[in-house]
Amino acid sequence: FTFGSRVTASGIAVALLLLGGTAAHAQINIPARPVPPGAENDTRAFAPALTVRLDEIDWTQYTMVGLSVVFAQTMPSLLAAREIKRRAPHVPIVLGGPSCTNLIGKSLLETFDFLDYVVNGEGERPLVNLLSGLEQAPRGARVNVRAVVHRLSEPGAFGAIDQAPDMAALPAPNFDGYFETLSRTQNPAETRGRIRVPVETSRGCWWDRSHVD
């Protein structure tokens, strides 16, 4: 369960989560719990540890909560999104990542009523624009941003993307706040030793499939 919290220059509080797999900035694993036979892939085996962690955070303080979803992270992320929405009903929940692009994102919005927005494609520009829109819009109002869709979006919006043309123009990530929080945990040295900061230097599919972007 990876959690990052940021306050933007304009004072907007944002929470970003990634469950399982490798995080874009750091990873803290939820302690393993015994799994009943035959239930290795059952989300219910994951739920108790996750809900304990979610209860440690006041989710109502955020303007937006975003979850990054890749492959096997879909079900745990949906569980987290549902539980966060129960704790903070008025905070928009945003999904992004390869596992919710285009029509997949549309189906997720139609199926799970606790999701508010889905980002299609790379999220750097759409998320900034969404945050600006949420800051200016009345509470609960839908915000229309290119490459970000909701249940009432026009059909053509689900395939739109808004990528930075030059990746070198993106600012270098800053994880100081994360590591500052980490230093106040019970075993900071032990936890820090398990952190990895991977870097992906190109766009496209890891397995060289030309039809995947």
Side-chain angles (χ1 to χ4, degrees), residues 183-196:
S183 68
R184 298 193 297 269
T185 59
Q186 187 173 1
N187 299 301
E190 189 274 336
T191 302
R192 192 182 186 99
R194 292 188 281 115
I195 291 176
R196 301 294 181 269

Side-chain angles (χ1 to χ4, degrees), residues 95-108:
L95 248 60
S99 293
C100 56
T101 58
N102 209 329
L103 295 181
I104 302 176
K106 185 175 187 294
S107 66
L108 289 171

Side-chain angles (χ1 to χ4, degrees), residues 1-2 18 20-23 25-29 178 191 194-196:
F1 170 44
T2 304
L18 189 150
T22 304
H25 48 304
Q27 180 176 349
I28 297 178
N29 295 321
Y178 180 87
T191 302
R194 292 188 281 115
I195 291 176
R196 301 294 181 269

Side-chain angles (χ1 to χ4, degrees), residues 26-27 34 74 86 91 95 97 102 117 147 172 174 188 192 197 199 208:
Q27 180 176 349
T74 302
R86 287 176 174 174
V91 176
L95 248 60
N102 209 329
Y117 297 95
N174 185 326
R192 192 182 186 99
V197 184
V199 177
D208 194 25

Side-chain angles (χ1 to χ4, degrees), residues 77-148:
S77 296
L78 289 171
L79 172 62
R82 186 192 69 183
E83 294 302 313
I84 292 170
K85 180 61 79 171
R86 287 176 174 174
R87 290 158 174 77
H90 302 295
V91 176
I93 304 291
V94 186
L95 248 60
S99 293
C100 56
T101 58
N102 209 329
L103 295 181
I104 302 176
K106 185 175 187 294
S107 66
L108 289 171
L109 287 169
E110 291 173 347
T111 305
F112 301 103
D113 59 4
F114 47 81
L115 300 178
D116 297 292
Y117 297 95
V118 169
V119 176
N120 189 52
E122 297 175 6
E124 287 84 356
R125 289 168 59 161
L127 278 175
V128 170
N129 294 333
L130 177 60
L131 284 170
S132 298
L134 290 172
E135 183 184 30
Q136 299 171 18
R139 186 176 183 178
R142 293 295 181 194
V143 174
N144 293 307
V145 173
R146 182 173 176 80
V148 179

